[in-house]
Amino acid sequence: MPVLDRGLPIDDRWTDLADDQDIPAEGAVIVSLERWRTERDALTSRRDAVGVRLKSNQLATEIADDLGSLSLVALEFPKFRDGRAFSAARELRERFDYKGEIRAFGHIIPDQYLFLTRVGVDTVVVPADRVGPAWAHALKEISVAFQPALGSEEGTSLLRRHLKGTVPA
Amino acid sequence: MPDTHSPAIRSNQPADAHAAVYRYDEFDKTFIFERVEQFRAQVERRLKGEITEEEFKPIRLMNGLYLQLHAYMLRVAVPYGMLSSTQVRRLARIARVYDKGYGHFTTRQNIQFNWPKLEDVPTILRELAEVDMHAIQTSGNCIRNVTTDQFCGAAADELVDPRVYAEILRQWSTMHPEFTYLPRKFKIAITGSPNDRAAVQVHDIGLIAKKDEVTGRVGFTVYVGGGQGRTPYLAVKARDFVPVEEIIGYLEAILRVYNQLGRRDNIYKARIKITVNEMGADKFIGLIEEEYARLPRQKFYVDPAIVDAIQTHFAPPPWVDLPAISDSFEAAKAADPAFARWTRTNLTEHKTPGYAIATISLKPIGGIPGDAEADQLETVADLADLYSFGEVRVTHEQNLVLAHVRKDDLYPLWKALDAAGLGTANAGLISDIIACPGLDYCALANTRAIPVAQRIAERFADLDRQHDLGELKVKISGCINACGHHHVGHIGILGVDKKGEEFFQILLGGDAGTNAALGEIVGPGFDYDGIIDAVETVVNTFVKLRQPGEIFIQTLARTGHAPFKEALYARA
Amino acid sequence: MLVKAKGTQQSVAASRLLDGEAVWLGTGNIWVEDVAQAAVFDGADAIAEALAFAKAEEKRQIVVDVYPLDVEITEAGTRPTHLRERLKGIGPTVRRDLGKQARQPAA
C-alpha cells in the first residue's frame, strides 16, 4: 500500500510482515509486537532495520525498553475513530524521546493527518484508491495551532506563544 | 432618555465595546476562517463521495452539525455563555435567513438551529466567523464547549473570573491534536466561586476556584468522572488544589489517561465516569498523578502573562458610582406589583452598588423552554445595548442574563422585556423548567419532553401560586441520555417508551448546586396525561408538609421520600 | 430512539443528504416526502431488496440514515406504527407551523 510522507507517496523500503510470513534474509521489516517478543534475537541478528507494529490497545510503554533496537514503530487505527494512537505517538516522542520513524496505518482519513503530524507521526499508510490531493491539502488548510505539541512551531496562537517552553525566554 | 446612560454611546464606541467577550486577534481570525474553508471542502468531498457518511459524521459533529428527526441541526458555541449584542444580532439574522426564524438555547449555554441545510452550513459558519463565533467541538467525541457560572464577573462571591480560564481551556482544547478522537464526548465546567452555579460535579471534569489560605495562591479543586446520562455519577475529587499555572498540564494528564484507557468497546460505557468507577477512583487518580509527574510540565505552564492578556478581554465594564438604593426602582416596585414580583425572582445581587443582575426568562408559560424568536433576540440585543454594556449571557438553565443593569433602569427594562414576551417572573420557580428537545426534534429520544414542560407550566400558570411555592427546579429528559438533567432536578422527569407509548418516571431530590445530589426514582411511571397530575400531587404534598420558610428540597430532605410516594401511589 | 422493525409490513425511511429532509422510499424507487406515500414492503425478501436499493442510494450521495420501520396500511395511506416514526412524518408537535404538517397536503 502507498506510504505518504508530507502528503506525497514515497518509495517505501519497509516490508510489513504478517505473523505467518517468513522473515526474509534481507530488507527492513515490520513485525507485530508479539512476534518481536518471541523472535527478537532472529530479528536483531539481521543486518537490516526492524520495526514493530502496535495495535491500538497496546500502549507505548510496552516497547519502551526496546526502542533503541527499533528504527520504526507503526501504530494501528483499527477504525479512524479510535484515537489511542495519538497518545501512543506522543508518548513515544515526549516521554521516551524516540527518534525513529513513527508510521500510522489502518483506517485513517485525511482530516486526521494534521493531528498525526502534530503528535509526532512521520508517515501514513493509505489504500491506493484513497491517495489524492486531500492529504497534502490537509497539512496546509489550518495554519494556526493553539496548543504546544510536536512538529513545526509556526503559526502559534497567543496562548501557545505564552505557554512556556515554546518560545525562548 | 435611557441611552445617555451608556458610556459607549457617549464616546461613539460601538454600544457593545465593553461586552466581556473574547475578541479574536489575528491568529484567531486566521484560524476561524481557515476552519470554515476546511469544512466547506469537507462538505464538497462528502457530496462527491470521496468520504463516506461514517467518516463524515464525526467531522460534521465536530462542526456542530447533527442529523435530527426532521432535519439537520446546527449547534453554535457560545463560549462560557458570553455574547455581545453584535453576536446576538448575527444569531437572529442566521435564524431568519438560514433557519425558521428562531433559535434554541441549550443547557450547555449554546444555541442550536433546528432546520439548516447541509449546503448552507459552510456559509452560516462564515457568518459566525465574521463576529468571532463558531460551532467547533459543540458535538463529537472531543473536548466540548467549556461552561461556567452565568453570573461571572458580576457576582459578589467570586474568587477568580472563570471566563479567563474557560477561554484558556477553549483555546487549548480547540483542535487538540491528541484529544480529538476520544472514547466519548468530554465536558468541562468551571466555577470561579465557591458557590457552584455551573453544576461542576456532573461534568467529566469540574473545576472550582480556590485560594490557598497559606500562600494566597489561586488554583482549582479538580473533580473528575461526573456525568449524567444513563449511569449518573457525581465526580470524585482528584486534587484539592492545582495552581492555575499548572492547570493545563494537569488536564493533559487526565485526558491522556482517559484517551488510552477509556472503553471503546461500548458507547454506553465510554465516558470517563465509567473508567473512573470501573477502575476505582484511587487507582485512576494514581494514574493521573503518575502521568502528570512525567509530563514535560514546562510545556504546559500557564504563564501569568497569558492570564493577564486574556483578562483584558474580560475587564469590568465602566460602572459608575451609584447609591446602593435607587429611589425610582423602589417607587416602581411599590407602584407595580407585577414588576415587584419579577424583581423577587429574576434579580441577583451585583457586586457593585446601584447595579443588579437581571435574568431574562425564556420560559413563558406554555412556551418552549429555551426558544427565542429572531425578533426577541434583536430586542434583547437592543436592551443589552441600552442597559447592560451590550452584553448578554446564556445560562445553563436555558435563560438569558443582562449582568450589569442599573437599578434605575430595571423598570423600563422589564417593561420592554414584558412587551416582547420575555418578562415572566419565574426564574428558579416551578415553571422555569429545563427540558431537552425530546422526540419533537431529537432522533435519540424515546418520548417528548417539551409538551410535558408546557403543560406543567400551564397547570401552575398562576404566578402567585408559583411564588408561594418558592424555588423548585423541574428538569425533564425524553430519554435516559439525560440531556434535560432529570437526575439533578428537585423534581426530575424521565420519559420512557413502554410498548410504543410515552411514560414518565418521577425522580425526587436531585440538586445541581453546591450540594450536588442525584435524584431517586420514586416508583412506577405515569402516562402522558397522568404525569401532570402526579407532579401536582408531589407539589401539594410539599405544601402540606412544609414548615415556614422551607423550599421544596429542604422539606424533602427533612421528611424523606415516603410521604411523597404515599401520596403518589396510595390509591393503587 | 430508533425501534427495530420486526413486522411483516415495513417501509424504508431516510434523510436527504443535501437538506436533511425526512423521506421514504415510494413506489418505483423514488423518494417521497410524505410518509403516507411510502411504499409498503411485504415479507423479508421484499424488505431486504428495498433496503439494498436504499443503501445503494446512500452510496450515491442521495440519502443518509437509511432504516426500515414497521407500518400499517390505512385509508389515508401508509402509517408508521411507532410514535417516533409518526412524528418524523409530521414535524414537531410543539410547533404545528413547522415541518411537514405545515405544508399543504399533496393533492
Side-chain angles (χ1 to χ4, degrees):
Chain A
M1 264 195 258
V3 175
L4 304 185
D5 184 1
R6 276 156 282 188
L8 299 172
I10 53 165
D11 285 332
D12 187 39
R13 66 183 179 119
W14 293 92
T15 303
D16 209 2
L17 285 186
D19 282 353
D20 57 2
Q21 272 179 296
D22 289 337
I23 298 171
E26 288 186 4
V29 292
I30 305 170
V31 297
S32 68
L33 176 64
E34 294 73 17
R35 191 164 195 187
W36 166 252
R37 283 180 174 161
T38 53
E39 297 179 47
R40 180 189 171 123
D41 290 346
L43 285 161
T44 51
S45 62
R46 298 162 77 250
R47 239 187 30 212
D48 290 319
V50 184
V52 161
R53 280 193 304 272
L54 292 183
K55 292 190 187 317
S56 68
N57 62 357
Q58 293 170 330
L59 301 180
T61 45
E62 307 237 26
I63 47 158
D65 296 336
D66 302 335
L67 289 172
S69 318
L70 300 175
S71 303
L72 178 146
V73 177
L75 302 172
E76 185 188 17
F77 283 78
K79 274 271 178 207
F80 76 105
R81 290 191 304 273
D82 182 344
R84 284 177 278 197
F86 290 105
S87 287
R90 198 154 178 196
E91 288 225 301
L92 286 171
R93 293 287 187 232
E94 280 184 355
R95 179 173 167 195
F96 301 118
D97 201 27
Y98 181 60
K99 304 284 194 224
E101 178 177 338
I102 301 180
R103 172 171 291 195
F105 71 101
H107 184 189
I108 300 161
I109 57 176
D111 315 88
Q112 297 176 302
Y113 194 17
L114 180 63
F115 293 149
L116 287 168
T117 61
R118 292 200 69 225
V119 295
V121 170
D122 302 296
T123 53
V124 179
V125 185
V126 178
D129 64 348
R130 294 216 129 189
V131 176
W135 295 90
H137 182 64
L139 296 182
K140 291 185 303 205
E141 59 193 351
I142 304 285
S143 65
V144 176
F146 287 95
Q147 56 293 101
L150 293 145
S152 162
E153 292 298 328
E154 283 170 37
T156 48
S157 74
L158 184 68
L159 174 65
R160 189 158 160 227
R161 278 176 285 140
H162 278 84
L163 286 171
K164 274 202 178 153
T166 60
V167 265
Chain B
M1 287 298 292
D3 61 355
T4 55
H5 288 328
S6 167
I9 288 172
R10 272 206 311 271
S11 62
N12 289 327
Q13 287 175 309
D16 62 355
H18 295 286
V21 293
Y22 176 77
R23 288 165 205 270
Y24 286 6
D25 67 14
E26 57 179 305
F27 292 95
D28 301 308
K29 282 192 196 293
T30 301
F31 168 73
I32 207 73
F33 284 104
E34 285 176 348
R35 173 79 175 205
V36 170
E37 292 314 309
Q38 180 190 42
F39 188 63
R40 193 184 296 279
Q42 287 164 332
V43 170
E44 280 167 17
R45 283 163 56 220
R46 173 71 186 97
L47 295 179
K48 279 194 248 166
E50 288 176 22
I51 40 175
T52 64
E53 179 64 17
E54 186 212 359
E55 292 167 336
F56 181 61
K57 189 176 171 184
I59 292 171
R60 68 165 158 77
L61 289 175
M62 281 187 250
N63 286 283
L65 190 64
Y66 284 74
L67 181 62
Q68 292 287 49
L69 201 57
H70 310 298
Y72 287 103
M73 177 270 277
L74 181 67
R75 182 181 295 151
V76 175
V78 180
Y80 32 93
M82 303 295 297
L83 289 166
S84 68
S85 58
T86 301
Q87 293 173 328
V88 174
R89 287 192 187 93
R90 182 55 59 96
L91 294 172
R93 177 183 146 76
I94 288 169
R96 212 174 263 132
V97 175
Y98 304 99
D99 210 84
K100 301 208 178 197
Y102 69 104
H104 175 75
F105 289 98
T106 77
T107 58
R108 300 208 74 254
Q109 301 179 293
N110 293 322
I111 182 168
Q112 34 196 67
F113 297 106
N114 285 307
W115 308 90
K117 296 184 165 78
L118 175 60
E119 49 193 337
D120 286 341
V121 172
T123 308
I124 299 173
L125 295 179
R126 190 167 186 88
E127 292 232 8
L128 290 169
E130 287 167 1
V131 294
D132 297 355
M133 292 187 80
H134 62 76
I136 297 167
Q137 290 169 219
T138 56
S139 178
N141 294 336
C142 50
I143 302 169
R144 303 285 192 87
N145 186 34
V146 177
T147 53
T148 188
D149 175 1
Q150 68 267 24
F151 299 149
C152 52
D157 57 2
E158 194 166 274
L159 282 175
V160 298
D161 187 339
R163 293 170 298 188
V164 178
Y165 299 98
E167 175 57 27
I168 288 174
L169 296 184
R170 183 189 74 83
Q171 294 192 20
W172 160 74
S173 61
T174 297
M175 282 191 81
H176 195 295
E178 187 179 346
F179 305 133
T180 297
Y181 291 87
L182 295 168
R184 198 77 178 86
K185 59 188 167 183
F186 204 91
K187 299 176 180 178
I188 302 175
I190 174 168
T191 178
S193 140
N195 294 312
D196 178 10
R197 282 179 290 262
V200 302
Q201 283 196 68
V202 285
H203 283 76
D204 297 282
I205 291 178
L207 304 175
I208 299 180
K210 186 175 179 178
K211 203 170 241 169
D212 188 300
E213 283 176 20
V214 183
T215 64
R217 289 175 86 191
V218 176
F220 296 100
T221 302
V222 178
Y223 288 87
V224 66
Q228 302 196 49
R230 59 187 66 205
T231 33
Y233 283 110
L234 294 179
V236 297
K237 193 192 280 187
R239 259 215 203 182
D240 192 56
F241 188 79
V242 176
V244 292
E245 301 83 11
E246 295 181 37
I247 193 67
I248 287 186
Y250 198 73
L251 296 189
E252 286 260 338
I254 297 175
L255 266 298
R256 179 169 294 169
V257 172
Y258 169 57
N259 190 41
Q260 292 185 317
L261 300 180
R263 285 182 63 173
R264 292 176 188 265
D265 60 327
N266 181 339
I267 185 177
Y268 302 120
K269 296 186 187 296
R271 293 286 292 271
I272 194 174
K273 62 190 175 184
I274 305 291
T275 319
V276 170
N277 284 280
E278 283 185 350
M279 188 183 285
D282 289 345
K283 187 172 172 203
F284 188 82
I285 292 165
L287 290 176
I288 295 171
E289 291 294 335
E290 279 175 31
E291 188 65 47
Y292 184 57
R294 62 178 172 244
L295 275 180
R297 285 199 217 182
Q298 270 299 90
K299 209 165 178 168
F300 306 110
Y301 181 77
V302 182
D303 193 306
I306 182 68
V307 177
D308 293 345
I310 291 182
Q311 180 72 65
T312 59
H313 294 266
F314 306 105
W319 297 309
V320 294
D321 289 334
L322 293 171
I325 293 183
S326 154
D327 292 337
S328 67
F329 172 61
E330 298 303 328
K333 274 198 294 186
D336 188 336
F339 173 61
R341 189 163 57 194
W342 182 77
T343 67
R344 282 197 290 276
T345 45
N346 292 44
L347 293 186
T348 305
E349 196 181 345
H350 198 283
K351 64 181 175 186
T352 309
Y355 287 86
I357 305 170
T359 296
I360 300 172
S361 171
L362 294 181
K363 318 288 177 67
I365 304 303
I368 296 175
D371 272 16
E373 300 290 323
D375 293 352
Q376 291 180 314
L377 290 172
E378 283 164 351
T379 298
V380 170
D382 292 346
L383 293 172
D385 283 345
L386 277 177
Y387 300 125
S388 196
F389 302 99
E391 180 194 288
V392 178
R393 298 155 179 228
V394 185
T395 80
H396 87 269
E397 293 181 319
Q398 302 179 282
N399 292 314
L400 299 177
V401 162
L402 298 182
H404 313 288
V405 184
R406 290 182 180 202
K407 287 182 178 171
D408 295 341
D409 292 336
L410 286 166
Y411 190 51
L413 168 67
W414 175 74
K415 293 275 257 193
L417 288 173
D418 203 41
L422 296 164
T424 311
N426 63 348
L429 302 182
I430 190 169
S431 62
D432 182 9
I433 297 170
I434 290 181
C436 73
L439 203 42
D440 282 299
Y441 291 99
C442 175
L444 302 175
N446 283 325
T447 72
R448 290 171 291 167
I450 295 167
V452 177
Q454 290 173 314
R455 290 183 306 136
I456 292 172
E458 279 160 3
R459 179 68 65 92
F460 293 90
D462 178 355
L463 279 173
D464 290 329
R465 184 178 177 199
Q466 290 193 34
H467 278 250
D468 171 65
L469 295 172
E471 183 183 286
L472 210 179
K473 307 222 171 186
V474 178
K475 305 186 197 239
I476 309 172
S477 305
C479 80
I480 55 178
N481 290 319
C483 300
H485 294 187
H486 65 272
H487 295 298
V488 291
H490 297 166
I491 299 176
I493 298 174
L494 167 64
V496 292
D497 176 349
K498 210 163 141 187
K499 291 181 183 154
E501 265 194 77
E502 295 170 292
F503 266 76
F504 299 89
Q505 295 178 329
I506 290 186
L507 295 84
L508 294 179
D511 195 339
T514 309
N515 302 311
L518 300 171
E520 284 171 34
I521 295 176
V522 289
F526 300 87
D527 66 16
Y528 187 75
D529 293 320
I531 183 63
I532 311 300
D533 290 336
V535 169
E536 192 166 32
T537 301
V538 170
V539 170
N540 288 343
T541 307
F542 153 65
V543 170
K544 232 180 284 169
L545 295 172
R546 70 177 164 185
Q547 291 178 352
E550 266 184 349
I551 61 167
F552 177 84
I553 195 79
Q554 294 167 330
T555 304
L556 181 72
R558 180 171 53 76
T559 65
H561 292 196
F564 293 89
K565 276 187 197 178
E566 200 173 309
L568 280 171
Y569 301 107
R571 278 170 301 159
Chain C
M1 200 176 63
L2 184 59
V3 174
K4 202 173 152 59
K6 32 184 196 283
T8 53
Q9 293 191 323
Q10 297 182 12
S11 291
V12 175
S15 301
R16 215 153 47 203
L17 174 63
L18 262 185
D19 61 3
E21 176 84 28
V23 288
W24 295 266
L25 196 56
T27 45
N29 282 347
I30 51 155
W31 293 98
V32 296
E33 294 183 16
D34 179 4
V35 68
Q37 322 247 327
V40 178
F41 303 98
D42 234 311
D45 290 348
I47 294 163
E49 195 182 322
L51 269 178
F53 175 80
K55 294 273 184 198
E57 289 278 275
E58 204 165 33
K59 290 224 161 58
R60 289 192 283 269
Q61 282 74 247
I62 308 293
V63 293
V64 291
D65 194 27
V66 164
Y67 61 89
L69 64 146
D70 287 330
V71 294
E72 58 196 14
I73 298 171
T74 71
E75 274 180 22
T78 310
R79 181 179 187 270
T81 55
H82 194 272
L83 175 70
R84 176 187 190 270
E85 303 311 320
R86 285 204 296 277
L87 292 190
K88 187 170 184 163
I90 56 172
T93 65
V94 292
R95 286 293 301 260
R96 293 291 185 184
D97 56 326
L98 299 178
K100 296 177 188 296
Q101 62 197 339
R103 298 176 200 163
Q104 292 296 322

